[in-house]
DNA sequence: ATGTCC
């Protein structure tokens, strides 16, 4: 009898090409060879792998042999040789790994143009802070795991002193009306996005519907937050007729939760099966938008984006209800997404922004700093070289593990106290000092955006034990 | 980012 069941990982270790050969091999074992001892199962599969020609006409092992042969004969897609040009902003403070990933992405045969934002750092496939324009293909890892990760700010005609006078009340308001990480609301509010046909039509999305409903109106972990702060409007040209002045604002950062993560994971695998790239570029696998899988991904990605937007709107709605006020303006934008846009010559391109703020001419957006440094309301300048994009934040200076190793709670509490910021939840890995200087980052993208308003966080809620960083 | 391994 077989002992430990063979897994995909075992087969990859044996040198099976990922994708169809692995899938078929596991199916064959499950269907015909469950009685065979594990080592004999492995021997059998290895025989087919080393000499697929001898097995290709066999009834049972034929399909596996064929899949291996197809993979071998097609070979990986070739990358363009040499360095391709792309614009880099704030390059003196961008890590080598992110730069290398962007250089690699530019060599894809489907790459039309690219740019690297000043907050860039290494990710899977495209770097975070990477922008890539392609023609009629979508790269799931060019969008990222958290599809539709976005910012939303509501601005209230409430004087800023209200925050200091109502500290405890506002803290409780955040604790009662936001949920982070693995927690969710006992009774989620419904939202029209849950009635979208994609929830019944796309298999991978259908499986996620219950979880998506459960997570409606919640925020994620890591760098996600909901905070009260003050915003100063410097420029009346702001799309919302906001007069110059100081206002109370609520700012949120979150994405599409488990729904988007599963969509990203599933379609990345589909892409990697359909699009074989050299090993170091494999996470940049794409889906042709004329194929069924490509169209499915496009629909699912857009759904995840709308779902993420719905989550933010519910967060802001809950808080607006408690404040018994309606905002004067709401400014929001995705920063992990792909859009159909026109390039300078009028040709339609798919613009992937993985941790980048849309900054077309006149387009409003939000670029946050950290829990204790300013964030900015910006208006895009429509700079073609940046593919109408800007950074999505300050960018990390220190890894999470390094932060936990080198920083201490008293040190961070002192910093927050000095900055006059209250933090509920979070941890050392999100401390302000793990991020680049947001003012320098903004300075390096003056050609990309104009600053319309400056936001200062005052009461911040993030994932984790509410008492962890709390300074009071 | 994510109940972080198909």
């Amino acid at each position: 009898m077989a002992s430990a069941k063979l897994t995909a990982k075992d087969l990859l270790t044996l040198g099976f090409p990922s994708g169809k050969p692995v899938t078929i091999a596991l199916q064959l074992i499950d269907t015909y060879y469950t009685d065979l001892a594990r080592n004999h199962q492995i021997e059998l599969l290895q025989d087919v792998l080393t000499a697929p020609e001898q097995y290709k006409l066999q009834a049972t092992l034929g399909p596996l042999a064929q899949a291996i042969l197809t993979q071998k004969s097609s070979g990986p897609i070739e990358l363009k040789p040499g360095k391709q040009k792309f614009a880099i902003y704030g390059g003196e403070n961008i890590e080598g790994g992110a730069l290398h990933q962007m250089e690699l992405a530019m060599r894809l045969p489907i790459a039309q143009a690219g740019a690297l934002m000043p907050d860039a750092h290494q990710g899977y496939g495209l770097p975070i802070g990477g922008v890539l324009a392609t023609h009629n293909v979508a790269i799931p890892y060019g969008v990222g795991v958290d599809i539709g990760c976005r910012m939303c700010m509501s601005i209230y005609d409430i004087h800023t002193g209200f925050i200091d006078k109502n500290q405890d009340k506002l803290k409780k308001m955040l604790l009662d009306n936001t949920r982070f990480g693995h927690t969710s609301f006992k009774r989620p509010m419904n939202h029209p996005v849950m009635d979208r046909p994609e929830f019944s039509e796309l298999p991978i999305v259908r499986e996620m519907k219950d979880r998506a409903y459960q997570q409606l109106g919640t925020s994620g972990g890591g760098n996600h937050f909901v905070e009260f702060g003050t915003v100063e409007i410097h420029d009346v040209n702001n799309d919302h007729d906001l007069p110059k002045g100081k206002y109370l604002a609520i700012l949120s950062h979150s994405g599409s939760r488990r729904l988007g993560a599963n969509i990203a994971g599933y379609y990345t695998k589909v892409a990697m099966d359909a699009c074989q790239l050299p090993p170091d570029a494999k996470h940049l696998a794409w889906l042709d938008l004329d194929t069924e899988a490509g169209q499915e991904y496009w629909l699912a990605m857009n759904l995840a984006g709308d779902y993420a937007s719905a989550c933010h709107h519910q967060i802001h709605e809950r808080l607006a209800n408690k404040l018994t006020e309606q905002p004067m303006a709401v400014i929001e934008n995705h920063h992990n997404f792909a859009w159909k846009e026109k390039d300078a010559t009028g040709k339609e391109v798919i613009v992937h922004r993985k941790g980048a703020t849309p900054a077309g001419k006149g387009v409003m957006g939000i670029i946050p700093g950290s829990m204790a440094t300013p964030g900015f309301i910006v208006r895009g300048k429509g700079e073609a070289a940046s593919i109408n994009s800007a950074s999505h934040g300050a960018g990390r200076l220190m890894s999470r593990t390094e932060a936990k190793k080198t920083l201490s709670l008293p040190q961070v509490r002192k910093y927050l106290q000095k900055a006059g910021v209250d933090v509920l939840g979070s941890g050392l890995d999100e401390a302000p000092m793990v991020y680049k200087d947001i003012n320098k980052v903004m300075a390096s993208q003056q050609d990309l955006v104009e600053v319309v308003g400056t936001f200062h966080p005052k009461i911040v809620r993030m994932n984790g034990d509410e008492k962890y960083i709390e300074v009071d």
Side-chain angles (χ1 to χ4, degrees):
Chain A
M1 288 298 275
S3 51
K5 209 171 140 84
L6 273 183
T7 64
K9 198 183 167 185
D10 295 331
L11 297 186
L12 292 174
T13 316
L14 290 176
F16 265 74
S18 74
K20 273 195 176 159
V22 169
T23 316
I24 295 175
L26 290 174
Q27 278 169 358
L28 284 176
I29 295 292
D30 263 359
T31 317
Y32 302 108
Y33 303 107
T34 45
D35 289 341
L36 220 55
R38 184 187 155 93
N39 57 334
H40 289 123
Q41 292 175 338
I42 292 175
E43 272 174 31
L44 184 70
L45 293 176
Q46 258 175 335
D47 284 349
V48 184
L49 182 63
T50 35
E53 283 289 345
Q54 292 175 24
Y55 290 89
K56 70 176 180 184
L57 296 176
Q58 252 202 25
T60 45
L61 294 167
L64 174 61
Q66 295 283 7
I68 293 167
L69 284 167
T70 311
Q71 207 109 330
K72 275 188 179 169
S73 68
S74 62
I77 292 163
E78 275 185 43
L79 302 183
K80 292 178 200 166
K83 286 195 176 177
Q84 309 292 317
K85 272 192 82 172
F86 62 94
I88 304 170
Y89 298 87
E92 62 280 5
N93 294 315
I94 293 177
E95 62 188 32
L99 199 66
H100 174 76
Q101 286 187 315
M102 195 66 219
E103 285 168 354
L104 196 61
M106 288 303 297
R107 291 175 54 211
L108 296 175
I110 47 83
Q112 302 279 311
L116 200 57
M117 301 300 113
D119 59 340
H121 51 101
Q122 208 173 324
Y124 274 109
L126 199 65
I128 322 295
V131 182
L132 190 69
T134 63
H135 179 56
N136 206 41
V137 304
I139 303 173
Y141 270 0
V143 169
V145 173
D146 193 4
I147 299 171
C149 187
R150 70 201 314 271
M151 303 302 303
C152 182
M153 180 188 285
S154 35
I155 300 172
Y156 288 86
D157 192 9
I158 296 177
H159 65 95
T160 54
F162 181 85
I163 299 177
D164 288 336
K165 284 194 197 112
N166 293 279
Q167 287 263 338
D168 292 342
K169 201 171 140 187
L170 295 179
K171 276 190 197 172
K172 187 174 180 333
M173 207 182 282
L174 282 176
L175 290 172
D176 290 347
N177 294 284
T178 65
R179 292 291 184 276
F180 284 82
H182 298 171
T183 66
S184 56
F185 293 102
K186 271 186 199 139
R187 217 178 74 82
M189 283 197 289
N190 208 350
H191 190 283
V193 76
M194 297 309 302
D195 299 327
R196 286 272 288 274
E198 292 90 329
F199 269 118
S200 42
E201 286 165 5
L202 301 173
I204 187 72
V205 173
R206 194 186 304 139
E207 286 171 28
M208 290 306 301
K209 188 171 181 178
D210 291 345
R211 173 71 67 92
Y213 176 68
Q214 195 54 46
Q215 293 188 317
L216 253 180
T218 68
S219 311
N223 57 5
H224 290 174
F225 60 77
V226 181
E227 59 199 21
F228 282 106
T230 64
V231 69
E232 180 166 9
I233 300 294
H234 317 292
D235 187 342
V236 292
N237 184 7
N238 55 48
D239 254 20
H240 298 272
D241 298 320
L242 286 167
K244 285 187 186 179
K246 274 193 175 183
Y247 306 95
L248 181 146
I250 295 171
L251 181 61
S252 55
H253 174 216
S254 186
S256 52
R257 314 294 280 114
R258 194 65 216 176
L259 174 67
N262 276 18
I263 291 169
Y266 176 79
Y267 285 101
T268 291
K269 259 186 275 152
V270 175
M272 283 166 66
D273 280 352
C275 173
Q276 305 279 328
L277 289 164
D280 55 341
K282 67 177 182 181
H283 288 125
L284 291 163
W286 63 80
L287 295 166
D288 189 316
L289 291 181
D290 288 331
T291 65
E292 199 178 339
Q295 287 172 12
E296 279 183 13
Y297 174 72
W298 195 258
L299 288 172
M301 179 198 75
N302 274 284
L303 177 73
D306 292 342
Y307 172 83
S309 170
C311 288
H312 280 265
H313 291 166
Q314 289 197 339
I315 292 165
H316 287 253
E317 188 185 332
R318 278 193 162 91
L319 293 168
N321 289 343
K322 293 293 169 188
L323 285 171
T324 61
E325 292 276 347
Q326 286 309 306
M328 307 159 72
V330 175
I331 301 171
E332 54 193 330
N333 65 273
H334 287 332
H335 54 220
N336 280 11
F337 210 63
W339 290 262
K340 285 183 180 167
E341 294 178 8
K342 294 270 198 310
D343 72 5
T345 67
K347 185 169 138 189
E348 187 180 271
V349 284
I350 305 298
V351 178
H352 302 73
R353 293 190 180 89
K354 184 183 192 178
T357 305
K361 195 164 179 54
V363 174
M364 301 292 291
I366 308 278
I367 300 177
S370 72
M371 55 168 70
T373 53
F376 299 91
I377 302 175
V378 295
R379 187 175 60 238
K381 290 189 172 181
E383 171 59 47
S386 76
I387 316 178
N388 294 314
S389 309
S391 88
H392 80 314
R396 287 193 91 84
L397 200 60
M398 199 188 283
S399 73
R400 290 185 187 278
T401 33
E402 198 187 342
K404 285 173 191 163
K405 217 164 55 191
T406 58
L407 301 177
S408 75
L409 270 177
Q411 176 191 5
V412 175
R413 287 198 177 109
K414 203 173 155 190
Y415 185 109
L416 294 173
Q417 208 143 28
K418 212 174 157 191
V421 179
D422 250 306
V423 178
L424 307 167
S426 191
L428 296 174
D429 51 344
E430 284 298 327
M433 44 282 241
V434 313
Y435 286 99
K436 290 182 193 173
D437 181 343
I438 185 69
N439 292 308
K440 280 189 190 154
V441 170
M442 295 308 289
S444 60
Q445 51 186 347
Q446 283 177 7
D447 292 345
L448 314 186
V449 286
E450 276 172 301
V451 172
V452 169
T454 306
F455 174 86
H456 290 279
K458 299 292 278 181
I459 305 176
V460 181
R461 172 67 170 135
M462 297 182 86
N463 186 32
D465 182 351
E466 71 202 56
K467 293 289 179 198
Y468 191 38
I469 288 199
E470 193 176 35
V471 278
D472 269 10

